[in-house]
């Protein structure tokens, strides 16, 4: 204790911080997982032979001749993804039907035998190049379950086939950000998962393996909703590992593939906002599916809805009212400006607020000259050093008394709270319980736009 008082004094006199940042609380995210958290949202594109049959799961018997997009345009997909703030795109290279969208050497059930581009088309090449051009990351979905391939009944032969597809995909198309291994239909079949993982890691060590994989887990539903409390650290085979959830959901209710009569299923703006708040706003990553139509374009109504959604989100989170506050905190590590609460003014500058060793509770207080009105609170934990906070609350000062307006649990990469519009001059973000000293890197207060979700006073 005496030593920390000494260092505090030294810091405030000299202005140079003599105290180290807190030790990481393992497990922490890998650099690739951290990058994935930072992207917040990705676009899923289900496209394949199903697209031409108005079916979600064809049974592997549809002839390759039926695959024939008239104007395959992944540049449009990638551009739209970029415009709406999605940092990556996952393309379905082979769905459960087994039809492969690049000219593989390992099956005849692939685009080579379709009329598309006279049989010389390569959809994976075009999609990966489009992503590169738009400046977003490229990933692919590859269904382990295969309803077409005769080798499926022979585990060893099928594993070899699956690995040869992985080998082609991971060597011929540049950087792969995420490999999405779907669990559907896999029950009762034995796969060489470990062999798949080691091949992926050998060919592209930075690729994240999702769902039936060690790097990203499925959130557990297809509604785009993460639970109230999101924990990244999970127990796997007796080991605690960083295994964060991804929320996948289609923009057309329950339809992953394009259906000619599916437009009426397009989610409303409110549903999409709700999904945003319950996925990204709870610290998970959102993977929103938008399916290209039979021409090979994202349908116009879907694009319009996406842009509308993006515009509302950008509008709400445009002005962080907290910037103009006077910031203070219950405790500042080493009393040093390097760890002061006003480091939480701006996002993504690497700076944070934290406390002295052993101080696991505390608060950041914001004081304004004039009352402000806000109805959205954003808080971000510095997850690079581990996820720590288990309970937190938000308080406002009303008529001289502190009143709790939010009582919550985890924070994680990002937490967004919605509350009825509140006017006050003082706000407190309180850490009520944390596994180790709390580390907060951002606090924002916002007033929503009239188009955003309404939050009732009750
Ligand atoms: C599920 C599949 O069965 C659906 O068709 C879709 O691909 C979805 C993302 O995953 O498991």
């Amino acid at each position: 204790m005496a030593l920390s008082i000494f260092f505090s004094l030294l810091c405030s006199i000299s202005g140079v911080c003599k105290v180290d940042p807190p030790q990481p609380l393992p497990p922490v995210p890998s650099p690739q997982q951290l990058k994935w958290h930072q992207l917040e949202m990705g676009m899923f594109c289900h496209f394949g032979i199903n697209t031409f049959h108005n079916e979600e799961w064809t049974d592997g018997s549809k002839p390759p001749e039926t695959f024939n997009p008239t104007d395959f345009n992944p540049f449009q997909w990638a551009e739209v993804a970029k415009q709406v703030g999605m940092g990556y795109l996952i393309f379905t290279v082979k769905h459960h039907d087994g039809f492969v969208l690049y000219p593989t050497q390992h099956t005849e059930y692939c685009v080579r035998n379709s009329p598309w581009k006279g049989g010389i088309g390569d959809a994976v090449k075009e999609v990966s190049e489009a992503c590169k051009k738009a400046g977003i990351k490229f990933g692919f979905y590859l269904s382990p379950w295969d309803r077409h391939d005769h080798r499926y009944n022979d585990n060893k032969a099928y594993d070899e086939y699956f690995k040869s597809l992985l080998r082609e995909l991971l060597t011929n198309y540049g950087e792969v950000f995420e490999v999405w291994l779907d669990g559907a239909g896999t029950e009762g079949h034995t796969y060489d998962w470990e062999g798949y993982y080691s091949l992926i890691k050998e060919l592209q060590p930075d690729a994240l393996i999702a769902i039936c994989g060690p790097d990203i887990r499925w959130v557990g539903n297809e509604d785009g909703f993460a639970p109230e409390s999101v924990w990244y650290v999970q127990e796997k085979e007796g080991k605690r590992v960083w295994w964060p959830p991804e929320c996948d959901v289609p923009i057309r209710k329950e339809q992953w593939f394009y259906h000619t009569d599916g437009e009426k299923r397009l989610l409303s703006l409110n549903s999409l906002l709700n999904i945003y708040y319950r996925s990204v706003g709870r610290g998970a990553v959102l993977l929103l599916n938008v399916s290209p139509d039979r021409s090979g374009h994202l349908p116009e109504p879907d694009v319009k809805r996406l842009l509308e959604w993006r515009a509302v989100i950008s509008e709400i989170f445009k002005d962080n009212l907290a910037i103009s506050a006077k910031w203070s905190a219950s405790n500042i590590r080493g009393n040093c400006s390097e760890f002061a609460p006003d480091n939480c003014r701006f996002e993504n500058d690497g700076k944070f607020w934290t406390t002295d060793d052993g101080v696991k509770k505390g608060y950041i207080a914001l004081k304004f000259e004039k009352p402000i009105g806000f109805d959205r609170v954003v808080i971000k934990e510095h997850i690079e050093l581990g996820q720590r906070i288990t309970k937190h609350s938000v308080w406002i000062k009303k008529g001289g008394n502190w009143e709790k307006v939010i009582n919550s649990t985890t924070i994680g990469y990002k937490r967004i709270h919605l509350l009825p519009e509140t006017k006050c001059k003082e706000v407190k973000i309180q850490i009520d319980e944390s596994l180790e000293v709390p580390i907060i890197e951002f606090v924002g207060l916002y007033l929503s736009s009239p188009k955003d979700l309404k939050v009732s006073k009750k």
Side-chain angles (χ1 to χ4, degrees):
M1 194 49 134
L3 204 65
S4 75
I5 295 172
F6 170 74
F7 279 137
S8 302
L9 276 172
L10 201 68
C11 289
S12 44
I13 298 165
S14 66
V16 179
C17 188
K18 296 280 186 296
V19 181
D20 287 334
Q23 288 296 310
L25 179 68
V28 297
S30 68
Q32 294 76 26
Q33 286 172 318
L34 187 63
K35 175 78 209 165
W36 174 85
H37 279 287
Q38 288 162 347
L39 296 180
E40 296 187 4
M41 301 200 286
M43 189 188 272
F44 217 166
C45 286
H46 274 65
F47 186 72
I49 207 148
N50 295 336
T51 310
F52 299 86
H53 297 277
N54 274 349
E55 280 183 47
E56 284 294 295
W57 286 5
T58 56
D59 64 4
S61 68
K62 301 292 181 211
E65 292 76 37
T66 55
F67 178 87
N68 195 13
T70 48
D71 184 23
F72 187 66
N73 189 355
F75 286 107
Q76 182 233 9
W77 322 349
E79 279 302 325
V80 170
K82 176 85 185 169
Q83 241 181 308
V84 298
M86 288 159 166
Y88 66 105
L89 188 152
I90 307 281
F91 178 52
T92 51
V93 168
K94 170 177 92 92
H95 205 251
H96 310 323
D97 49 76
F99 187 73
V100 178
L101 295 192
Y102 69 95
T104 170
Q105 292 309 305
H106 304 282
T107 178
E108 288 307 311
Y109 198 46
C110 72
V111 284
R112 188 176 47 253
N113 293 312
S114 79
W116 178 53
K117 297 198 167 170
I120 60 157
D122 182 338
V124 179
K125 184 168 187 282
E126 292 195 35
V127 176
S128 58
E129 284 176 1
C131 290
K132 204 165 179 198
K133 193 167 165 203
I136 61 171
K137 304 265 181 204
F138 163 73
F140 62 82
Y141 164 112
L142 196 67
S143 170
W145 182 31
D146 195 310
R147 306 177 81 189
H148 175 87
D149 202 89
H150 61 277
R151 287 162 285 195
Y152 195 70
N153 295 322
D154 175 345
N155 291 353
K156 223 168 158 244
Y158 183 73
D159 283 335
E160 280 316 305
Y161 169 55
F162 198 80
K163 284 187 224 170
S164 51
L165 293 179
L166 283 173
R167 202 168 286 116
E168 287 173 330
L169 286 162
L170 293 159
T171 39
N172 296 335
Y173 301 100
E175 188 195 317
V176 173
F177 181 62
E178 183 172 326
V179 178
W180 219 91
L181 298 178
D182 195 350
T186 57
E187 308 82 12
H189 185 111
T190 309
Y191 298 86
D192 179 16
W193 294 115
E194 289 304 324
Y196 300 172
Y197 304 158
S198 55
L199 181 67
I200 297 169
K201 294 291 173 190
E202 175 200 323
L203 297 171
Q204 297 232 13
D206 287 349
L208 294 161
I209 312 174
I211 315 308
C212 290
D215 303 316
I216 296 167
R217 70 188 152 95
W218 185 46
V219 76
N221 63 68
E222 294 183 338
D223 306 319
F225 296 165
E228 244 325 296
S229 311
V230 168
W231 278 107
Y232 304 135
V233 177
Q234 302 283 308
E235 185 108 4
K236 263 201 285 175
E237 290 153 17
K239 259 176 70 190
R240 292 173 71 252
V241 293
W242 194 270
W243 199 31
E246 184 178 59
C247 303
D248 59 323
V249 55
I251 197 169
R252 294 184 176 199
K253 202 169 171 45
E254 285 160 16
Q255 288 186 345
W256 296 94
F257 284 91
Y258 175 79
H259 293 245
T260 44
D261 61 353
E263 195 184 317
K264 52 185 178 297
R265 288 169 171 263
L266 187 57
L267 297 185
S268 66
L269 177 60
N270 266 359
S271 299
L272 282 178
L273 287 165
N274 196 22
I275 285 172
Y276 177 75
Y277 286 126
R278 293 199 192 190
S279 55
V280 176
R282 287 177 172 173
V285 167
L286 172 62
L287 181 62
L288 180 62
N289 185 80
V290 193
S291 35
D293 62 17
R294 290 181 180 178
S295 74
H297 282 243
L298 299 182
E300 234 172 78
D302 304 45
V303 173
K304 204 170 148 238
R305 181 60 41 82
L306 283 169
L307 295 175
E308 211 180 346
W309 175 60
R310 179 73 244 176
V312 175
I313 295 173
S314 302
E315 176 66 28
I316 303 160
F317 297 103
K318 195 174 60 189
D319 287 325
N320 178 7
L321 303 165
I323 288 177
S324 67
K326 198 168 156 280
W327 297 62
S328 61
S330 51
N331 176 288
I332 299 173
R333 190 177 184 79
N335 233 347
C336 178
S337 63
E338 196 177 313
F339 306 119
D342 58 355
N343 284 332
C344 300
R345 266 202 173 96
F346 301 104
E347 269 186 281
N348 309 325
D349 57 7
K351 299 200 272 180
F352 50 79
W353 164 72
T354 188
T355 56
D356 286 318
D357 284 342
V359 181
K360 298 184 194 172
K361 291 182 185 181
Y363 62 81
I364 292 179
L366 304 171
K367 209 170 179 172
F368 297 88
E369 259 172 29
K370 284 190 217 133
I372 57 148
F374 69 97
D375 58 7
R376 301 288 180 262
V377 180
V378 177
I379 313 169
K380 291 174 77 169
E381 216 177 321
H382 191 66
I383 60 167
E384 249 172 285
L385 295 177
Q387 187 179 13
R388 293 153 181 259
I389 294 159
T390 48
K391 282 190 189 148
H392 72 284
S393 48
V394 180
W395 300 70
I396 58 164
K397 205 166 194 180
K398 271 252 166 100
N401 297 319
W402 285 104
E403 192 182 299
K404 195 191 276 194
V405 286
I406 297 287
N407 196 17
S408 187
T409 56
T410 50
I411 295 179
Y413 177 73
K414 184 178 240 178
R415 183 83 198 205
I416 308 178
H417 292 298
L418 280 65
L419 63 165
E421 187 179 340
T422 303
K423 279 207 168 69
C424 65
K425 279 172 76 176
E426 285 181 69
V427 181
K428 234 168 36 175
I429 309 295
Q430 186 160 300
I431 309 308
D432 299 303
E433 204 179 278
S434 184
L435 301 175
E436 253 309 332
V437 294
I439 313 179
I440 300 284
E441 63 172 43
F442 180 74
V443 172
L445 302 177
Y446 304 87
L447 188 59
S448 65
S449 90
K451 281 193 179 160
D452 197 9
L453 300 181
K454 297 284 161 291
V455 183
S456 80
K457 293 263 179 211
K458 284 191 178 170

